[in-house]
């Protein structure tokens, strides 16, 4: 599982052979390799710094230095700490308490909001629920047609309203959902290339109106460090419940996962692993530890 980091670490551990024990220098070299690897994966610098301090402290303890397989022990510590950073062993879960339940998707343009609205709808439909999709991204008109098409492809109705005023669309969609007995409503909202006040105000207004069970920010794993700043801003304004990190089928190693979790202290609930409506997975930290190390 840890093949490539193991290769990198073998250099740091090379003096070990025959000696039986790790020296402090071995550990320091290995910690440096881990640090470089995490920075290359786009993990936020401050997060990396705290992380390597913790690893160093643990690795310099007796357990590792006196272990018969200290290199394995070291890797175990790195892996466990990484998993902890991503949320430990907590089970990914949506807290839907109302009926209908409301999930509001927010995020920058191009992050994958519209696609993931449809993926979530399909996810709920498979569980026997009756989802309604709401096209409230009036800033990017093509998003409405895109959602209508996606809805058709998975057999889930899409509420479009007047296609102009997002708050009105959501208001009408709420009545519609109650009348037609939908049990879960997924709102696709407007994003921008960069955060702006008008967009945030609209999102805050929709939040007040709906009081969603879950506000999830959709974050593109490919955008690296910038994701941290936008996640922080969205969280400050909207008090997010969690994240969906998308495009993890691409080259991105996923350092974003660690950064946004650490900076906002909110969980990653799903990951997007492709463009198709079925390419959605619940997020399990242990599956991503090795990928992030590279
Ligand atoms: P929005 O502007 O946030 O609504 O973003 P879209 O849902 O329109 O997605 C932007 C682009 O990213 C589209 O071309 C999607 O097909 C693509 N996309 C979304 N999610 C994923 C994913 O998990 N993996 C890949 N490879 N592409 C994705």
């Amino acid at each position: 599982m840890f093949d490539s980091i193991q290769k990198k670490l073998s250099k740091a551990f090379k003096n070990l052979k025959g000696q039986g024990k790790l020296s402090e220098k071995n550990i320091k070299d290995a910690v440096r390799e881990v640090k470089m690897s995490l920075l290359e994966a786009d993990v936020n610098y401050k997060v990396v710094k705290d992380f390597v301090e913790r690893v160093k402290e643990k690795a310099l303890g007796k357990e590792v230095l006196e272990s018969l397989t200290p290199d394995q022990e070291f890797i175990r510590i790195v892996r466990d700490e990484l998993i902890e950073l991503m949320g430990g062993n907590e089970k990914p879960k949506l807290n839907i308490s109302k009926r209908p339940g409301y999930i509001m998707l927010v995020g920058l343009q191009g992050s994958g909001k519209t696609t993931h609205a449809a993926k979530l709808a399909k996810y709920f439909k498979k569980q026997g629920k009756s989802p309604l999709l709401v096209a409230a991204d009036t800033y990017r008109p093509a998003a409405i047609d895109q959602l209508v098409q996606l809805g058709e492809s998975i057999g889930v109705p899409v509420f479009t309203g007047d296609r102009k005023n997002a708050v009105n669309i959501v208001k009408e969609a709420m009545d519609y959902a109650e009348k037609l007995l939908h049990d879960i409503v997924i709102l696709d909202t407007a994003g921008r290339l960069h955060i702006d006040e008008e967009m945030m105000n609209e999102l805050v207004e929709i939040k007040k109106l709906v009081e969603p069970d879950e506000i999830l920010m959709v974050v593109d794993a490919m955008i690296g460090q910038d994701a941290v700043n936008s996640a922080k801003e969205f969280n400050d304004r909207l008090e997010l419940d969690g994240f969906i990190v998308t495009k993890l089928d691409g080259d991105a190693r996923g350092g974003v996962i660690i950064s946004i979790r650490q900076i906002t202290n909110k969980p990653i609930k799903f990951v997007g692993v492709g463009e198709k409506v079925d390419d959605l997975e619940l997020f399990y930290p242990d599956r991503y530890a090795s990928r992030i190390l590279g």
Side-chain angles (χ1 to χ4, degrees):
M1 187 177 187
F2 273 76
D3 280 358
S4 86
I5 187 74
Q6 220 142 7
K7 228 175 267 165
K8 283 185 204 161
L9 290 178
S10 67
K11 219 171 105 202
F13 290 143
K14 75 173 186 297
N15 297 328
L16 185 67
K17 294 253 152 44
Q19 190 181 322
K21 272 191 187 177
L22 279 183
S23 68
E24 284 196 18
K25 182 172 182 319
N26 290 147
I27 298 269
K28 280 186 181 145
D29 289 349
V31 165
R32 193 172 311 121
E33 287 294 334
V34 171
K35 184 175 174 181
M36 292 312 295
S37 191
L38 292 178
L39 288 173
E40 274 168 25
D42 262 343
V43 182
N44 176 274
Y45 182 74
K46 194 183 164 308
V47 175
V48 173
K49 215 167 145 247
D50 294 347
F51 175 80
V52 295
E53 276 315 311
R54 271 202 310 283
V55 167
K56 207 190 297 180
E57 207 172 287
K58 285 204 172 162
L60 286 173
K62 259 190 174 163
E63 241 176 84
V64 177
L65 290 177
E66 291 178 5
S67 158
L68 288 175
T69 51
D71 49 348
Q72 294 304 319
E73 196 64 17
F74 178 81
I75 286 170
R76 188 188 57 75
I77 289 175
V78 171
R79 183 174 189 275
D80 288 354
E81 284 289 319
L82 267 182
I83 291 173
E84 206 48 50
L85 275 191
M86 289 188 276
N89 291 320
E90 71 185 16
K91 290 230 160 58
K93 136 171 196 296
L94 295 171
N95 301 307
I96 311 281
S97 54
K98 290 203 291 262
R99 192 183 167 95
Y102 282 88
I103 299 178
M104 177 175 172
L105 296 185
V106 300
L108 295 177
Q109 193 170 310
S111 58
K113 270 187 314 300
T114 305
T115 313
H116 282 75
K119 288 184 186 183
L120 280 178
K122 175 130 197 226
Y123 171 83
F124 284 112
K125 200 180 169 200
K126 272 199 253 173
Q127 294 177 3
K129 296 224 157 60
S130 167
L132 174 70
L133 284 160
V134 180
D137 181 355
T138 50
Y139 186 76
R140 185 169 74 87
I144 299 178
D145 296 326
Q146 187 186 340
L147 195 63
V148 169
Q149 274 173 20
L150 285 165
E152 269 168 21
S153 77
I154 55 175
V156 171
V158 179
F159 189 90
T160 55
D162 68 3
R163 293 180 170 241
K164 287 194 186 84
N165 182 315
V167 178
N168 279 345
I169 294 172
V170 171
K171 229 182 255 170
E172 288 172 19
M174 291 169 80
D175 290 340
Y176 182 90
E178 292 226 1
K179 258 190 221 129
L180 278 96
L181 303 178
H182 288 287
D183 45 19
I184 190 102
V185 180
I186 300 160
L187 308 173
D188 182 21
T189 64
R192 304 277 199 273
L193 290 177
H194 303 284
I195 291 171
D196 75 33
E197 218 21 55
E198 191 193 345
M199 170 193 73
M200 274 300 178
N201 288 340
E202 180 177 292
L203 296 176
V204 169
E205 208 176 326
I206 293 175
K207 176 186 171 176
K208 265 197 213 142
L209 175 70
V210 176
E211 297 178 353
D213 298 84
E214 290 271 337
I215 305 181
L216 301 177
M217 180 177 176
V218 179
V219 178
D220 178 346
M222 314 277 279
I223 69 169
Q225 299 284 343
D226 287 344
V228 176
N229 299 333
S230 53
K232 191 172 174 328
E233 266 190 75
F234 273 86
N235 189 45
D236 287 349
R237 290 294 297 272
L238 294 164
E239 285 175 61
L240 303 172
D241 295 291
F243 294 94
I244 301 178
V245 178
T246 67
K247 310 190 191 179
L248 279 165
D249 50 311
D251 292 336
R253 297 227 317 254
V256 156
I257 291 174
I258 292 185
S259 305
I260 57 178
R261 164 85 206 198
Q262 285 302 304
I263 302 288
T264 64
N265 200 25
K266 299 288 169 66
I268 286 87
K269 301 209 172 184
F270 289 94
V271 289
V273 291
E275 293 188 76
K276 301 207 186 68
V277 280
D278 285 309
D279 297 331
L280 181 74
E281 293 174 0
L282 284 164
F283 173 67
Y284 291 101
D286 53 345
R287 295 193 195 154
Y288 283 87
S290 55
R291 172 177 177 144
I292 287 171
L293 277 173

